[in-house]
Amino acid sequence: MSVTDVVTNMAGPLGGYHLAAALLNGVAAWRYWTSRRRASAAVWMLAAGAFAAAAARSFRGHPPGLPEWLKSAIDAAAGPVTLSLASLAFLALLFLGRSWLARPQVALAGFNLGLAFFGCSLPDAEFAAVVLKPDNVAIVAMVFLLGYFLWLGTAQAVENDRRLARGLPPREKDFSETTLVWPDLVYIELIAMVAGTAVLVAWALVLPAPLEQPANPVVTPNPAKAPWYFLGLQELLVYFDPWLAGVMVPALIIVGLAAIPYLDPNPKGSGYYTIAQRKFAWAVFLFGFLQLWILWILIGTFFRGPNWSFFGPYEPRDPHRLAAARNIRLCEYFWVFLLGREVPAADPAAGWLARTATLLLREWVGIAWLGLYFGGLPILLGRTIFGDFRRRMGRWRYYAMVLLLLMMLALPLKMFLRWTAGVSYIVSFPEWQLSF
């Protein structure tokens, strides 16, 4: 589908999209005006006027779009390293600047920027083909919902922290009064059920069901993608062995979540939103949820194309493009590139003990790195930045916590080594079906 066809077919829907954004900003401007905040009302009225102008252009068949140079720059900059670093920068900004980001004006500004960027990207044929695929529409909606609820929880935590600093109880204490299940709760649930049913009916009428041809064992889709909630695991399979990505990592996630109440001795922050009293727990949770799960789902959904290659959001999905893969084991870096020697190979005719000694010699650098990472680093952290944790938690709870944390951090570290240096495995024993 050409750009002209996309613009022609989407002129009306894009006009409705921009008009809805204009109405939202108009409502925000009216709320600020009635609360006698004239300057804020003027700002959001200008935003409403800009979206209204974009709607008028779209209805006339000329929706606003991003310039080609900007789309090319985004495609050139888009990559797993760039996206991961941008996600880490966002998490740092969210943690350090949470008091500023929790303001409604800042949240509304960010929401408008997201709406404008998304609306101006839709006239691009490649972008529209990905985000408007029936399988992906729900994920796009969930991105906006995730942003809203992330801001809402952060704003409530910031408000509680301010109240606690002034010696006041958290906001949740104001809602401690009990209510009856019937009729209060049942009425709310009934209204939510009716509203949800109406949304699903409208969704089914507007979007066609994402049904494909009957399954054919001879024809494999390219790319063959798992359901969206498993795309994070599918992304892990690119960098880790199946037993590790599909078995060990999910098991450690479940064990780690179940162990949190037994490892964390902090009694504060139970039953109300707070960040100041649970900074470490809040940062670790957001890192694990956003960086190690949501980001991988978004990469697998919107950036992975044919042959599981990485594509920019406006880049054509060429099935014949093959990315240059660099898969070098750490032992090859040491023996071949550093020492200029061949990698030691075990003699099949030798005894079991001799073969094992040769394999351990081949992988001794990776084994040493893993030993320092999982053995020495917990001791070093316990005597430096995690000294307070070690004193409060005790030795065994501290080591359980820090080993789970290091295992979580090992996932993105291994990915960065693959993206930047092409390191496929730190330790690799294909003879034993064991690699990391």
Side-chain angles (χ1 to χ4, degrees), residues 25 29 38-49 112:
N25 280 276
R38 310 302 190 198
S40 298
V43 171
W44 303 124
M45 187 56 69
L46 289 175
N112 276 328

Side-chain angles (χ1 to χ4, degrees), residues 57-80:
R57 285 192 55 184
S58 299
F59 285 128
R60 290 197 301 267
H62 302 285
L66 298 179
E68 292 298 325
W69 65 266
L70 181 57
K71 293 191 290 187
S72 300
I74 293 175
D75 284 337

Side-chain angles (χ1 to χ4, degrees), residues 377-392:
L377 194 55
I379 300 175
L380 178 63
L381 292 175
R383 295 180 178 178
T384 54
I385 59 177
F386 283 173
D388 185 58
F389 279 101
R390 184 178 181 181
R391 286 188 295 271
R392 289 190 292 110

Side-chain angles (χ1 to χ4, degrees), residues 26-95:
V27 172
W30 176 78
R31 292 288 301 274
Y32 281 114
W33 182 269
T34 56
S35 61
R36 299 185 182 277
R37 303 174 69 175
R38 310 302 190 198
S40 298
V43 171
W44 303 124
M45 187 56 69
L46 289 175
F51 278 111
R57 285 192 55 184
S58 299
F59 285 128
R60 290 197 301 267
H62 302 285
L66 298 179
E68 292 298 325
W69 65 266
L70 181 57
K71 293 191 290 187
S72 300
I74 293 175
D75 284 337
V81 175
T82 307
L83 291 175
S84 297
L85 293 179
S87 178
L88 287 174
F90 170 74
L91 291 177
L93 177 64
L94 183 62
F95 181 77

Side-chain angles (χ1 to χ4, degrees), residues 6-184:
V6 173
V7 172
T8 302
N9 295 333
M10 296 189 60
L14 278 175
Y17 172 87
H18 290 296
L19 183 59
L23 292 176
L24 288 175
N25 280 276
V27 172
W30 176 78
R31 292 288 301 274
Y32 281 114
W33 182 269
T34 56
S35 61
R36 299 185 182 277
R37 303 174 69 175
R38 310 302 190 198
S40 298
V43 171
W44 303 124
M45 187 56 69
L46 289 175
F51 278 111
R57 285 192 55 184
S58 299
F59 285 128
R60 290 197 301 267
H62 302 285
L66 298 179
E68 292 298 325
W69 65 266
L70 181 57
K71 293 191 290 187
S72 300
I74 293 175
D75 284 337
V81 175
T82 307
L83 291 175
S84 297
L85 293 179
S87 178
L88 287 174
F90 170 74
L91 291 177
L93 177 64
L94 183 62
F95 181 77
L96 299 176
R98 56 186 181 273
S99 298
W100 178 72
L101 293 174
R103 299 176 180 177
Q105 300 92 329
V106 177
L108 187 56
F111 181 62
N112 276 328
L113 288 176
L115 289 177
F117 178 80
F118 185 74
C120 293
S121 298
L122 281 175
D124 184 86
E126 300 298 333
F127 185 89
V130 174
V131 301
L132 296 183
K133 185 179 179 182
D135 289 345
N136 298 339
V137 171
I139 304 177
V140 174
M142 283 191 292
V143 170
F144 285 95
L145 290 175
L146 176 64
Y148 168 72
F149 287 109
L150 179 61
W151 169 81
L152 181 62
T154 304
Q156 292 176 340
V158 169
E159 181 185 5
N160 280 340
D161 290 338
R162 290 171 179 168
R163 291 172 60 91
L164 293 171
R166 297 196 302 265
L168 300 175
R171 178 65 67 182
E172 284 78 2
K173 296 296 183 181
D174 296 339
F175 305 100
S176 59
E177 183 180 357
T178 59
T179 57
L180 298 175
V181 173
W182 173 266
D184 301 312

